[in-house]
Amino acid sequence: MVQNKDASFKFISKDHLKELFDILDFHLDFDIDPLDVEVLSTEVVVIEPSLVRPDYIIRIKNIIFMMEFESSHVGLKKKKLFKLYIAAYDYKNNDKNDSIIFFVVSTKEKSKMAEYNINDWDSFKFPIISLRELDKEKIINDIKTKMDNKDTFTNRELIELALTPIYVF
């Protein structure tokens, strides 16, 4: 089975979500309690003729967060696919009609709002959160130092360690 560079995020722990959102500078109006988090990433989204799994789907309280981790530019085909993710997931798996927040974490793009227009009255907007603004040299040096000293990692450092393989050097 071929794994993408960003496959590690499909297995992120509930206990690490606060740190992930902090690193991404994604602010919530509430605290994340791991007991309130339901991981939904194992649920597939049917987009004929195949089954697709978005990288990470979680429910916190009554909000569903869908995250896609991209190590390439988000072009038109990807924007269409992301809209399908949300529409298909909402139709099939969102019986409670929870709010869905979708965003992309990117190593290639600057942070911005992306938009896909189907026509003049139907558009799909979502944020792209860039990892390019993170200080990768400092992160790598801090991790190396901790490894050399056989120190334990904090939750934040574990997330940063998971981010480093998808950096573009």
Side-chain angles (χ1 to χ4, degrees):
M1 180 170 107
V2 176
Q3 287 196 343
N4 294 332
K5 295 179 191 176
D6 52 13
S8 62
F9 289 101
K10 293 182 183 181
F11 309 103
I12 194 166
S13 163
K14 295 177 188 183
D15 297 324
H16 294 101
L17 286 175
K18 181 183 179 336
E19 286 79 11
L20 176 63
F21 282 128
D22 285 346
I23 290 167
L24 299 178
D25 203 23
F26 194 92
H27 302 286
L28 301 173
D29 292 337
F30 54 86
D31 289 331
I32 299 174
D33 180 353
L35 297 174
D36 292 334
V37 176
E38 182 183 359
V39 178
L40 307 170
S41 295
T42 57
E43 298 176 22
V44 295
V45 176
V46 179
I47 300 175
E48 295 301 332
S50 63
L51 301 175
V52 180
R53 281 190 172 95
D55 286 329
Y56 200 54
I57 307 171
I58 56 169
R59 179 183 292 121
I60 304 173
K61 300 183 181 193
N62 61 340
I63 302 172
I64 295 171
F65 293 89
M66 295 180 84
M67 299 173 228
E68 188 68 28
F69 298 91
E70 283 296 320
S71 51
S72 60
H73 287 284
V74 178
L76 184 60
K77 278 190 158 188
K78 294 253 175 146
K79 290 176 184 178
K80 287 181 179 185
L81 179 64
F82 298 156
K83 182 167 175 65
L84 284 173
Y85 276 179
I86 294 167
Y89 187 89
D90 186 50
Y91 179 74
K92 184 173 181 174
N93 301 329
N94 194 7
D95 294 335
K96 296 178 188 175
N97 203 28
D98 291 334
S99 296
I100 297 175
I101 296 175
F102 175 82
F103 61 93
V104 171
V105 178
S106 174
T107 59
K108 288 282 189 182
E109 310 224 18
K110 291 183 178 179
S111 294
K112 62 182 179 182
M113 287 298 290
E115 184 172 11
Y116 166 58
N117 293 312
I118 297 171
N119 53 43
D120 290 341
W121 51 269
D122 189 4
S123 69
F124 168 57
K125 294 180 183 179
F126 59 91
I128 294 177
I129 301 171
S130 178
L131 294 177
R132 293 174 68 192
E133 286 102 31
L134 295 179
D135 187 350
K136 62 186 170 209
E137 286 82 17
K138 181 184 180 321
I139 292 168
I140 291 170
N141 286 334
D142 289 348
I143 290 169
K144 283 181 181 177
T145 301
K146 284 233 172 174
M147 290 174 74
D148 290 342
N149 294 331
K150 298 183 179 168
D151 290 337
T152 57
F153 292 109
T154 64
N155 285 345
R156 181 181 179 97
E157 289 166 335
L158 289 171
I159 296 295
E160 290 173 340
L161 182 61
L163 292 173
T164 53
I166 60 173
Y167 279 135
V168 176
F169 292 97

